[in-house]
Amino acid sequence: MLHRHPFLSLLTLAYLGFLALVTLTPGSDQPDYQGLAERILVRLQRYPDLDPLTSRLSVERIEFLANIGLFVPLGVFLLLLVGTRFWLVAMAAGIVLTSMIESVQREIPGRVSDPRDVAANSIGMFVGIVLAVVLTLPAALRRRRERAARRA
């Protein structure tokens, strides 16, 4: 798997490193993500046309959505590495990874482990896997037609 897709493997490892940097560094070394979310929300609230969106947004929801978005690329990368037949393996790997991250965060000063993060990250993995399946579907259907044509 890794030897057949060396660039994708390197990209996945680099993204895992980025995830480790974002999720496993001590809280004092982290950028102020909550302050960033608050600034984004205040900025969006300046535009009356966005009231239907901003009236439902809170810092907690922005953080939840950010956790989802953080794991979408990993879902795509893992599915592309293992293949669509093994989508469940990719999903299980993502859930195990996010559970491990939350467990380790309990021991890191300034970090808070939250079960909602496991849910958000798992949703992000699932969205990434579905996205990868949809993006690879035309090629998979084409290969299936070619195999059927060779058999006939």
Coordinates of all heavy atoms in Angstrom, one line a residue, residues 7-55:
F7 N 3.8 9.1 -2.9 CA 3.5 10.6 -2.7 C 2.3 10.7 -1.7 O 2.4 11.5 -0.8 CB 3.2 11.3 -4.0 CG 2.9 12.7 -3.8 CD1 3.9 13.6 -3.4 CD2 1.6 13.2 -3.9 CE1 3.6 15.0 -3.2 CE2 1.3 14.5 -3.7 CZ 2.2 15.4 -3.4
L8 N 1.3 9.9 -1.9 CA 0.1 10.0 -1.1 C 0.5 9.5 0.4 O 0.0 10.1 1.3 CB -1.0 9.1 -1.6 CG -2.3 9.0 -0.8 CD1 -2.9 10.4 -0.7 CD2 -3.3 8.1 -1.5
S9 N 1.4 8.6 0.5 CA 1.8 8.2 1.8 C 2.6 9.3 2.5 O 2.3 9.5 3.7 CB 2.8 6.9 1.7 OG 2.1 5.9 1.1
L10 N 3.5 10.0 1.8 CA 4.2 11.1 2.4 C 3.2 12.2 2.7 O 3.4 12.8 3.8 CB 5.3 11.6 1.4 CG 6.5 10.8 1.3 CD1 7.4 11.3 0.2 CD2 7.2 10.7 2.6
L11 N 2.3 12.5 1.9 CA 1.3 13.5 2.2 C 0.4 13.2 3.4 O 0.2 14.0 4.3 CB 0.4 13.7 0.9 CG -0.6 14.9 0.9 CD1 0.1 16.2 1.0 CD2 -1.5 14.8 -0.3
T12 N 0.1 11.9 3.5 CA -0.7 11.5 4.7 C 0.1 11.6 6.0 O -0.3 12.1 7.0 CB -1.2 10.0 4.5 OG1 -1.9 9.9 3.3 CG2 -2.0 9.6 5.7
L13 N 1.4 11.2 5.9 CA 2.3 11.3 7.1 C 2.5 12.8 7.4 O 2.5 13.2 8.6 CB 3.6 10.7 6.8 CG 3.6 9.1 6.8 CD1 5.0 8.6 6.4 CD2 3.2 8.6 8.2
A14 N 2.6 13.7 6.4 CA 2.8 15.1 6.7 C 1.5 15.6 7.4 O 1.6 16.4 8.3 CB 3.1 15.9 5.4
Y15 N 0.4 15.2 6.9 CA -0.9 15.7 7.5 C -1.0 15.2 8.9 O -1.5 15.9 9.8 CB -2.1 15.3 6.6 CG -3.3 16.1 7.0 CD1 -3.4 17.5 6.7 CD2 -4.3 15.6 7.8 CE1 -4.5 18.2 7.1 CE2 -5.4 16.3 8.2 CZ -5.5 17.7 7.8 OH -6.5 18.4 8.3
L16 N -0.6 13.9 9.2 CA -0.7 13.4 10.5 C 0.3 14.2 11.4 O -0.1 14.4 12.6 CB -0.3 11.9 10.5 CG -1.3 10.9 10.0 CD1 -0.7 9.5 9.8 CD2 -2.5 10.9 10.9
G17 N 1.4 14.6 10.9 CA 2.3 15.5 11.7 C 1.6 16.8 12.0 O 1.7 17.3 13.1
F18 N 0.9 17.4 11.0 CA 0.2 18.6 11.3 C -0.9 18.4 12.3 O -1.0 19.2 13.2 CB -0.4 19.1 10.0 CG -1.4 20.2 10.1 CD1 -1.0 21.5 10.4 CD2 -2.8 20.0 10.0 CE1 -1.9 22.5 10.6 CE2 -3.7 21.0 10.1 CZ -3.3 22.3 10.4
L19 N -1.6 17.3 12.2 CA -2.6 17.0 13.3 C -2.0 16.9 14.6 O -2.6 17.4 15.6 CB -3.4 15.7 12.9 CG -4.5 15.8 11.9 CD1 -5.0 14.4 11.6 CD2 -5.6 16.7 12.3
A20 N -0.9 16.2 14.7 CA -0.2 16.1 16.0 C 0.2 17.5 16.6 O 0.0 17.7 17.7 CB 1.0 15.2 15.9
L21 N 0.7 18.3 15.7 CA 1.1 19.7 16.1 C -0.1 20.5 16.6 O -0.1 21.1 17.7 CB 1.7 20.4 14.9 CG 2.2 21.8 15.2 CD1 3.4 21.8 16.1 CD2 2.6 22.5 13.9
V22 N -1.3 20.3 16.0 CA -2.5 21.1 16.3 C -3.1 20.5 17.6 O -3.6 21.2 18.5 CB -3.5 21.1 15.2 CG1 -4.8 21.6 15.6 CG2 -3.0 21.9 14.0
T23 N -3.1 19.2 17.7 CA -3.8 18.5 18.8 C -3.0 18.1 20.0 O -3.6 17.9 21.1 CB -4.6 17.3 18.3 OG1 -3.6 16.3 17.8 CG2 -5.6 17.7 17.2
L24 N -1.7 18.0 19.9 CA -0.9 17.4 21.0 C 0.1 18.3 21.6 O 0.9 17.8 22.4 CB -0.3 16.1 20.5 CG -1.2 15.0 20.1 CD1 -0.5 13.8 19.5 CD2 -2.1 14.5 21.2
T25 N 0.1 19.5 21.2 CA 1.1 20.5 21.8 C 0.4 21.1 23.1 O -0.8 21.2 23.1 CB 1.5 21.6 20.9 OG1 0.4 22.2 20.3 CG2 2.4 21.0 19.7
P26 N 1.2 21.4 24.1 CA 0.6 22.0 25.3 C -0.2 23.2 25.0 O 0.1 24.0 24.0 CB 1.9 22.3 26.1 CG 2.9 21.4 25.6 CD 2.7 21.2 24.2
G27 N -1.2 23.4 25.8 CA -2.1 24.6 25.6 C -1.4 25.9 25.6 O -1.8 26.8 24.8
S28 N -0.3 26.1 26.4 CA 0.4 27.3 26.4 C 1.1 27.6 25.1 O 1.4 28.8 24.8 CB 1.3 27.4 27.6 OG 2.3 26.3 27.4
D29 N 1.4 26.6 24.3 CA 2.2 26.7 23.1 C 1.2 26.9 21.9 O 1.7 27.1 20.8 CB 3.1 25.5 22.8 CG 4.2 25.4 23.9 OD1 4.4 26.4 24.5 OD2 4.7 24.3 24.0
Q30 N -0.1 26.8 22.1 CA -1.1 26.8 21.1 C -1.5 28.3 20.7 O -1.5 29.1 21.6 CB -2.4 26.1 21.5 CG -2.2 24.6 21.5 CD -2.4 24.1 20.1 OE1 -3.3 24.4 19.4 NE2 -1.4 23.2 19.7
P31 N -1.8 28.5 19.5 CA -2.4 29.8 19.2 C -3.8 29.9 19.9 O -4.3 28.9 20.3 CB -2.6 29.8 17.6 CG -1.7 28.7 17.2 CD -1.6 27.7 18.3
D32 N -4.3 31.1 20.0 CA -5.6 31.3 20.7 C -6.7 31.0 19.7 O -7.3 31.9 19.1 CB -5.7 32.7 21.2 CG -7.0 33.0 21.9 OD1 -7.6 32.0 22.3 OD2 -7.3 34.1 22.1
Y33 N -7.1 29.7 19.5 CA -8.1 29.3 18.6 C -9.5 29.8 19.0 O -10.3 30.2 18.1 CB -8.1 27.8 18.4 CG -6.9 27.2 17.8 CD1 -6.1 26.2 18.4 CD2 -6.5 27.6 16.5 CE1 -5.0 25.7 17.8 CE2 -5.4 27.1 15.9 CZ -4.7 26.1 16.5 OH -3.6 25.6 15.9
Q34 N -9.7 29.8 20.3 CA -11.0 30.3 20.7 C -11.2 31.8 20.4 O -12.2 32.3 20.0 CB -11.3 30.1 22.2 CG -12.7 30.5 22.6 CD -13.0 29.9 24.0 OE1 -12.2 29.2 24.6 NE2 -14.2 30.2 24.5
G35 N -10.1 32.6 20.6 CA -10.1 34.0 20.3 C -10.3 34.2 18.8 O -11.0 35.1 18.4
L36 N -9.6 33.3 18.0 CA -9.8 33.4 16.6 C -11.2 33.2 16.2 O -11.8 33.9 15.3 CB -8.9 32.4 15.9 CG -9.0 32.3 14.4 CD1 -8.6 33.6 13.7 CD2 -8.2 31.1 13.9
A37 N -11.9 32.1 16.8 CA -13.3 31.8 16.5 C -14.2 33.0 16.9 O -15.1 33.4 16.1 CB -13.7 30.6 17.2
E38 N -13.9 33.6 18.0 CA -14.7 34.8 18.4 C -14.5 36.0 17.4 O -15.5 36.6 17.1 CB -14.3 35.2 19.8 CG -14.7 34.3 20.9 CD -14.1 34.6 22.3 OE1 -13.3 35.6 22.4 OE2 -14.4 33.9 23.2
R39 N -13.3 36.2 17.0 CA -13.1 37.3 16.0 C -13.8 37.0 14.7 O -14.3 37.9 14.1 CB -11.6 37.5 15.8 CG -10.9 38.1 17.0 CD -9.5 38.6 16.7 NE -8.6 37.6 16.1 CZ -7.9 36.8 16.8 NH1 -7.9 36.7 18.1 NH2 -7.1 35.9 16.1
I40 N -13.7 35.8 14.2 CA -14.4 35.4 13.0 C -15.9 35.6 13.1 O -16.6 36.2 12.3 CB -14.2 33.9 12.6 CG1 -12.7 33.8 12.1 CG2 -15.1 33.4 11.5 CD1 -12.3 32.3 12.0
L41 N -16.5 35.2 14.3 CA -17.9 35.4 14.5 C -18.3 36.8 14.6 O -19.3 37.3 14.0 CB -18.3 34.7 15.8 CG -19.8 34.6 16.1 CD1 -20.6 33.9 15.0 CD2 -20.0 33.8 17.4
V42 N -17.5 37.7 15.2 CA -17.8 39.1 15.3 C -17.7 39.7 13.9 O -18.5 40.5 13.5 CB -16.8 39.8 16.3 CG1 -16.8 41.3 16.1 CG2 -17.1 39.4 17.7
R43 N -16.7 39.3 13.1 CA -16.6 39.8 11.8 C -17.8 39.5 10.9 O -18.3 40.3 10.2 CB -15.3 39.3 11.2 CG -15.0 39.7 9.7 CD -14.6 41.1 9.5 NE -13.5 41.6 10.3 CZ -12.3 41.8 10.0 NH1 -11.9 41.5 8.8 NH2 -11.4 42.3 10.8
L44 N -18.2 38.2 11.0 CA -19.4 37.8 10.2 C -20.7 38.5 10.6 O -21.5 38.7 9.8 CB -19.5 36.2 10.3 CG -18.5 35.4 9.7 CD1 -18.7 33.9 10.0 CD2 -18.5 35.6 8.2
Q45 N -20.8 38.8 11.9 CA -22.0 39.4 12.4 C -22.1 40.9 11.9 O -23.2 41.5 12.0 CB -22.0 39.4 14.0 CG -22.3 38.0 14.5 CD -22.1 37.9 16.0 OE1 -21.5 38.8 16.6 NE2 -22.7 36.9 16.6
R46 N -21.1 41.4 11.3 CA -21.2 42.8 10.8 C -22.0 42.8 9.5 O -22.4 43.9 9.1 CB -19.8 43.3 10.4 CG -18.9 43.6 11.6 CD -17.6 44.1 11.1 NE -16.6 44.2 12.2 CZ -15.4 44.4 12.1 NH1 -14.8 44.6 10.9 NH2 -14.6 44.5 13.2
Y47 N -22.2 41.7 8.9 CA -22.9 41.7 7.6 C -24.4 41.2 7.9 O -24.6 40.0 8.2 CB -22.2 40.7 6.6 CG -20.8 41.1 6.4 CD1 -19.7 40.5 7.0 CD2 -20.5 42.2 5.5 CE1 -18.4 40.9 6.8 CE2 -19.2 42.6 5.2 CZ -18.2 42.0 5.9 OH -16.9 42.4 5.7
P48 N -25.4 42.1 7.7 CA -26.7 41.7 8.0 C -27.3 40.5 7.1 O -28.1 39.8 7.5 CB -27.5 43.0 7.7 CG -26.5 44.1 7.6 CD -25.2 43.5 7.3
D49 N -26.7 40.4 5.9 CA -27.2 39.3 5.0 C -26.8 37.9 5.6 O -27.4 36.9 5.2 CB -26.5 39.5 3.6 CG -27.0 40.7 2.9 OD1 -28.1 41.2 3.2 OD2 -26.4 41.2 2.0
L50 N -25.8 37.9 6.5 CA -25.4 36.6 7.1 C -26.1 36.3 8.4 O -25.8 35.4 9.0 CB -23.9 36.6 7.3 CG -23.1 36.7 6.0 CD1 -21.6 36.7 6.4 CD2 -23.4 35.5 5.1
D51 N -27.1 37.2 8.7 CA -27.8 36.9 10.0 C -28.4 35.5 10.2 O -28.3 35.0 11.3 CB -28.9 38.0 10.2 CG -28.4 39.3 10.7 OD1 -27.2 39.4 11.1 OD2 -29.1 40.3 10.6
P52 N -29.0 34.9 9.1 CA -29.5 33.6 9.3 C -28.4 32.6 9.7 O -28.6 31.7 10.5 CB -30.1 33.2 8.0 CG -30.4 34.5 7.3 CD -29.4 35.5 7.8
L53 N -27.2 32.8 9.3 CA -26.1 32.0 9.6 C -25.5 32.3 11.0 O -25.3 31.5 11.8 CB -25.0 32.1 8.5 CG -23.7 31.4 8.8 CD1 -23.9 29.9 8.8 CD2 -22.6 31.8 7.8
T54 N -25.2 33.6 11.2 CA -24.5 34.0 12.4 C -25.4 33.9 13.6 O -24.9 33.8 14.7 CB -24.0 35.4 12.3 OG1 -25.0 36.3 11.9 CG2 -22.9 35.5 11.2
S55 N -26.7 34.0 13.4 CA -27.6 33.9 14.6 C -27.6 32.5 15.2 O -27.9 32.3 16.4 CB -29.0 34.3 14.2 OG -29.6 33.3 13.3

